[in-house]
Amino acid sequence: KIGAEPKMFLYSKPDGPGSAIERQYQQCCRHELHILLPESEQDDLCEDQSDKNEIVREVSKINSPAYPLNDILSGDAVQCIIQNIVPSGIRVEIPMKTILKKKDTGYETDMAVFVIVYCGEYYPMRRDEADNYRHLAESEMEKHIPLRENRKGRLVSKPFPYKLLDSIMEDNAVPPISAGSI
């Protein structure tokens, strides 16, 4: 006899919607998505018209009617775009987002950083599958908004149980986006 009240666990193969994995036991993988934000004062940055036209084109990508800048910064548009490209049975969450100022990064513009988490609701999450979702997400996001080049293509994390997500986010915490900074 093992313990005062031994427990027996039954394992079965998931068969889709009828066998959802309890949230706390879902396996997840994460990565960061770095989005370049438009400059507010474009005239100060551009000395010639060709540079100004390029920045206006980039800003118009971000301020498209489908995805306004505020929806992107809140994470709603980002989550919607990514959720639409992953298969059903995989849940997308954005547990953390922050704005990095150009003075802190040395980059030419401010950027928004989103932590993207893929969780297997009906299927076990594997790292190679999650890395494929990351690639698809970056490709799709680039159609709508510019991404930081040197942060694309980085491997996703090893799978971890969903119940550890909060502690992982606390360990890697940076100041979150505040309502006043949007």
Side-chain angles (χ1 to χ4, degrees):
K1 186 171 177 181
I2 300 175
E5 293 183 38
K7 297 190 189 298
M8 182 173 160
F9 293 96
L10 299 176
Y11 296 93
S12 65
K13 292 187 177 188
D15 332 276
S19 61
I21 302 167
E22 286 184 52
R23 191 170 280 224
Q24 66 178 344
Y25 300 120
Q26 292 174 6
Q27 293 293 302
C28 305
C29 291
R30 66 183 169 87
H31 70 92
E32 289 183 355
L33 184 69
H34 291 236
I35 296 173
L36 300 177
L37 299 177
E39 287 292 329
S40 57
E41 299 298 324
Q42 297 166 12
D43 294 328
D44 296 337
L45 294 175
C46 306
E47 294 181 11
D48 67 14
Q49 191 61 31
S50 64
D51 287 345
K52 185 174 182 177
N53 289 341
E54 183 61 32
I55 288 175
V56 168
R57 270 196 302 277
E58 291 300 317
V59 170
S60 67
K61 274 185 181 178
I62 292 175
N63 289 323
S64 71
Y67 302 107
L69 183 58
N70 286 339
D71 287 352
I72 292 170
L73 290 177
S74 72
D76 295 340
V78 174
Q79 185 169 357
C80 180
I81 290 168
I82 296 173
Q83 187 67 64
N84 287 332
I85 60 170
V86 298
S88 62
I90 303 298
R91 186 180 74 257
V92 175
E93 288 189 13
I94 301 178
M96 185 184 301
K97 50 193 172 274
T98 190
I99 300 257
L100 299 176
K101 299 292 184 188
K102 62 183 174 183
K103 65 179 177 161
D104 299 328
T105 63
Y107 226 70
E108 295 176 3
T109 64
D110 295 343
M111 63 187 76
V113 179
F114 299 90
V115 175
I116 311 295
V117 178
Y118 306 101
C119 300
E121 288 185 309
Y122 297 108
Y123 308 102
M125 177 59 62
R126 292 191 346 234
R127 190 176 195 186
D128 60 329
E129 291 174 342
D131 200 50
N132 185 44
Y133 303 151
R134 179 218 29 94
H135 175 71
L136 292 172
E138 288 174 346
S139 298
E140 187 64 27
M141 292 301 296
E142 275 191 309
K143 294 176 185 176
H144 304 284
I145 39 186
L147 301 179
R148 186 174 172 184
E149 287 296 322
N150 65 349
R151 290 296 183 141
K152 292 189 319 191
R154 296 197 175 192
L155 193 61
V156 298
S157 70
K158 291 181 179 177
F160 59 90
Y162 182 79
K163 65 182 176 182
L164 295 180
L165 180 61
D166 289 337
S167 64
I168 291 170
M169 292 299 102
E170 287 173 13
D171 291 345
N172 297 318
V174 291
I177 295 176
S178 64
S181 65
I182 295 180

